[in-house]
Amino acid sequence: MTEPLVEVDGLVVDFPVGGAGEYVRAVDALSFTLDAGRALGLVGESGSGKSTVAAALLGLHRGTGARLTGTVRVDGTDVAAAPAAELRRLRGGTAAMVFQDPLSSLDPYYAIGDQIAEVYRVHADVTRRAARARAVEVLDRVGIPDAVRRSRARPHEFSGGMRQRALIAMALACEPRLLIADEPTTALDVTVQAQILDLLHGLREERGLGLLLVTHDVGVAAESVDELLVMRGGHAVERGAVASVLAAPAEPYTRALLAAVPRLDGPRASRALPGPAPQSPAGLGLAAAGPGSASAGLKDAGEPVVEVFGLRREFGRGKRRVVAVDGVSLAVRAGETLGIVGESGSGKSTLGRMLVGLLQPSSGQVRRDGAEAVGITDGVQMVFQDPVSSLNPRRSVGESIADPLRAAGERDEAAVRARVGELLLRVGLEPGHYDRYPHEFSGGQRQRVGIARALAPRPRLIVCDEPVSALDVTTQAQVTALLAELQRELGIALVFIAHDLAVVRQVSDRVAVMRAGEIVEEGPVDEVYDRPVHAYTRRLLAAVPALDPVLAAERRTSRQEAFA
């Protein structure tokens, strides 16, 4: 009988908390195997222990103070007992890891090809010339065009999808038998995500790689793996063939996880946004906006909250000039949600920043509440993609939420603190959280803080720029349900910018599809999704991951034929 490529038996991982000798358990008695050429998906919410397991396979917890018990074997090597030299050979040589954020995983000062060549020389006794040739070879293999020239480029000269391909090329340089991919497509738009998933599938077929895919996106797992292992609180909840788990989940938690996944094929009437809480699938008790909501009665009445005419924005000069937004006109009314979708670089975020006044248009006009607006005016707010970088780590969350109130002229500190307490409560946190700092909150909680800050000055328009792209599906559902409840209660106009088309369908009344700075299609969300007119819209919709592995395979085949 062939020995498994990966064998994990009774793995327990504890991390130190503070300096009092206390530990928190991240992984508890986990066991699984993975054979060569097979793919296993680890899925679950943030904090379930997925990434901790992935790191344990390469011994990355060594020297961190973490306590590990149980056995982890990779290609016959006992990771915990392996000496340092053997562990170095294992990392990159036998098993390689692709991390979530390629920009922070690549050195900004060195050319992509040089970084791949350096990794290759660590594991192979070759000349610099041979290592450079190998770098070009693997870059070409992962689909980087003009690999010889692009190997001399630095990371900032690559798009997000190309950087992720470069990381995969680096992982493949030493011909590993196991590829560990930790959320490799989280920040990518649907078409680039589909390309990366197709690439991983092709590499498995061509090289017989074993693949461990860590993801919170069940749709991504359905596209990519043979088996699913569902994790919660460090435990294995359910494991089985991907088709069986998706079609007939045995455990209530798995069913709640699948119920939280936004879908393209759901009827309009079933657009409720489930929000299972981290400890229970009971959710937040918030109903989502849908037919008959406030937006249904308000969207055709009165002047638009925001309206733009012929909006254009250019960056750079001369030959380096780039047109980011080109001749966009649209309007959003009170209580209405306009979704804006498109690939990275389509101009979505630039448009959103012009709507709130953070960027000035090169030409065109922005009108808010019927009057021409220049710069940031009262009544508009923005919720950003990354709640970590948009909150000051040196200030408490309460002070961050209070900033817009003080900027508006409120000088009564008691009134400020009372208003912040109300807002914290309104977004599902506690008034007592005022004095806590951002690092003390989960990703979903930090995004709630961002929403509370946006609500503080009682805006009429909120622009949400990828507000849930980095969150797991249940936290994502909670945040979108919260936005829908607040919109229905307060009559706020929402602009929801996202690359996740399924989420946009769930939350929007109308949708605008952007490509290369232009709106190529716009209309009621069901009409655009069910009967897309533009070929680009159809291509975007075809790239959305499907929860049916059979359908996912058919789509992959059609994409390969299209690009053959």
Side-chain angles (χ1 to χ4, degrees):
M1 184 174 178
T2 306
E3 186 178 78
L5 178 61
V6 175
E7 187 174 9
V8 176
D9 185 17
L11 176 64
V12 176
V13 182
D14 296 325
F15 289 115
V17 179
E22 297 180 355
Y23 287 80
V24 62
R25 182 146 296 180
V27 177
D28 193 3
L30 184 71
S31 299
F32 67 88
T33 59
L34 173 62
D35 294 330
R38 302 286 288 174
L40 173 66
L42 292 186
V43 300
E45 297 172 285
S46 298
S48 61
K50 308 184 302 295
S51 294
T52 301
V53 174
L57 297 187
L58 293 178
L60 297 180
H61 298 307
R62 187 175 292 190
T64 65
R67 297 189 312 200
L68 277 75
T69 58
T71 303
V72 177
R73 292 184 179 276
V74 176
D75 200 23
T77 299
D78 186 332
V79 175
E86 187 175 357
L87 201 56
R88 281 195 298 272
R89 286 192 294 271
L90 173 71
R91 298 169 179 166
T94 303
M97 195 161 183
V98 178
F99 294 93
Q100 176 176 347
D101 181 8
L103 195 56
S104 63
S105 302
L106 294 167
D107 192 316
Y109 290 101
Y110 292 94
I112 294 287
D114 290 341
Q115 296 185 57
I116 296 174
E118 182 181 2
V119 169
Y120 187 55
R121 292 193 73 202
V122 167
H123 295 276
D125 185 15
V126 296
T127 63
R128 290 182 182 275
R129 181 186 295 272
R132 286 281 304 174
R134 177 60 176 164
V136 171
E137 179 186 342
V138 291
L139 284 170
D140 182 67
R141 175 63 195 86
V142 300
I144 298 293
D146 194 5
V148 174
R149 182 177 64 86
R150 298 313 296 266
S151 70
R152 296 190 288 270
R154 287 171 172 75
H156 74 273
E157 299 177 86
F158 277 29
S159 68
M162 288 177 65
R163 283 194 291 263
Q164 197 61 283
R165 287 173 182 267
L167 269 191
I168 294 173
M170 187 180 294
L172 294 175
C174 301
E175 301 281 351
R177 299 192 63 207
L178 171 67
L179 189 63
I180 303 166
D182 188 1
E183 301 280 8
T185 63
T186 295
L188 304 179
D189 60 59
V190 288
T191 51
V192 178
Q193 174 178 267
Q195 293 167 16
I196 296 299
L197 296 179
D198 290 349
L199 171 62
L200 291 175
H201 182 81
L203 291 169
R204 282 182 55 212
E205 289 190 330
E206 177 186 320
R207 298 171 180 253
L209 282 173
L211 173 66
L212 182 75
L213 178 67
V214 175
T215 181
H216 65 250
D217 191 326
V218 184
V220 167
E223 291 253 345
S224 314
V225 303
D226 307 305
E227 289 186 288
L228 281 181
L229 175 59
V230 181
M231 294 188 66
R232 184 188 190 191
H235 296 271
V237 174
E238 184 167 354
R239 182 181 180 181
V242 62
S244 299
V245 173
L246 294 179
E251 297 298 322
Y253 176 73
T254 308
R255 291 195 290 272
L257 197 66
L258 291 173
V261 177
R263 302 172 186 249
L264 283 179
D265 56 0
R268 175 78 167 177
S270 66
R271 282 175 50 203
L273 299 170
Q279 300 303 319
S280 165
L284 295 174
L286 297 178
S293 68
S295 61
L298 289 170
K299 64 182 180 181
D300 294 322
E303 284 189 335
V305 174
V306 64
E307 193 170 15
V308 300
F309 304 92
L311 217 56
R312 181 181 176 92
R313 174 69 195 204
E314 301 172 358
F315 293 98
R317 296 180 179 178
K319 293 182 179 180
R320 295 181 177 271
R321 182 174 60 89
V322 174
V323 179
V325 174
D326 191 6
V328 167
S329 299
L330 54 80
V332 191
R333 290 175 168 78
E336 180 184 39
T337 299
L338 173 68
I340 300 179
V341 300
E343 294 173 291
S344 297
S346 62
K348 306 186 303 294
S349 293
T350 300
L351 175 59
R353 288 169 183 264
M354 286 193 288
L355 291 177
V356 299
L358 289 175
L359 281 176
Q360 295 306 303
S362 303
S363 62
Q365 186 182 75
V366 179
R367 298 181 68 84
R368 301 192 193 108
D369 291 317
E372 183 174 358
V374 178
I376 299 173
T377 59
D378 292 339
V380 297
Q381 287 290 310
M382 194 161 190
V383 176
F384 295 92
Q385 175 177 353
D386 183 5
V388 177
S389 60
S390 61
L391 294 171
N392 189 331
R394 297 179 181 275
R395 306 188 72 212
S396 72
V397 298
E399 289 299 298
S400 291
I401 296 170
D403 283 342
L405 298 173
R406 295 190 177 116
E410 179 61 69
R411 295 292 178 262
D412 185 337
E413 286 302 310
V416 167
R417 197 169 185 103
R419 171 68 173 154
V420 171
E422 292 172 6
L423 289 165
L424 286 168
L425 198 62
R426 188 65 197 85
V427 299
L429 299 174
E430 299 175 14
H433 289 159
Y434 187 107
D435 296 311
R436 292 190 182 182
Y437 288 82
H439 73 272
E440 299 179 74
F441 294 88
S442 68
Q445 288 175 322
R446 283 193 290 260
Q447 198 57 286
R448 289 169 185 267
V449 172
I451 293 170
R453 180 175 60 183
L455 289 172
R458 295 181 172 87
R460 284 175 41 77
L461 168 69
I462 297 179
V463 175
C464 302
D465 188 6
E466 298 280 8
V468 297
S469 64
L471 306 179
D472 61 60
V473 289
T474 48
T475 307
Q476 184 180 92
Q478 293 168 21
V479 171
T480 50
L482 172 62
L483 286 169
E485 173 74 4
L486 292 168
Q487 182 190 47
R488 184 172 58 254
E489 179 183 316
L490 304 174
I492 299 167
L494 280 179
V495 175
F496 195 95
I497 298 168
H499 64 253
D500 190 326
L501 277 76
V503 170
V504 168
R505 180 165 198 169
Q506 295 284 325
V507 303
S508 303
D509 299 294
R510 291 186 300 115
V511 63
V513 182
M514 291 194 70
R515 183 188 189 190
E518 299 179 349
I519 293 179
V520 298
E521 188 162 358
E522 181 183 2
V525 67
D526 289 339
E527 183 177 315
V528 172
Y529 276 61
D530 295 339
R531 295 175 295 280
V533 174
H534 200 281
Y536 177 71
T537 307
R538 293 194 291 271
R539 182 158 68 90
L540 284 181
L541 292 169
V544 176
L547 285 179
D548 180 351
V550 175
L551 177 58
E554 291 174 354
R555 288 182 173 181
R556 181 166 51 243
T557 300
S558 65
R559 288 195 295 265
Q560 290 170 345
E561 291 173 350
F563 289 101

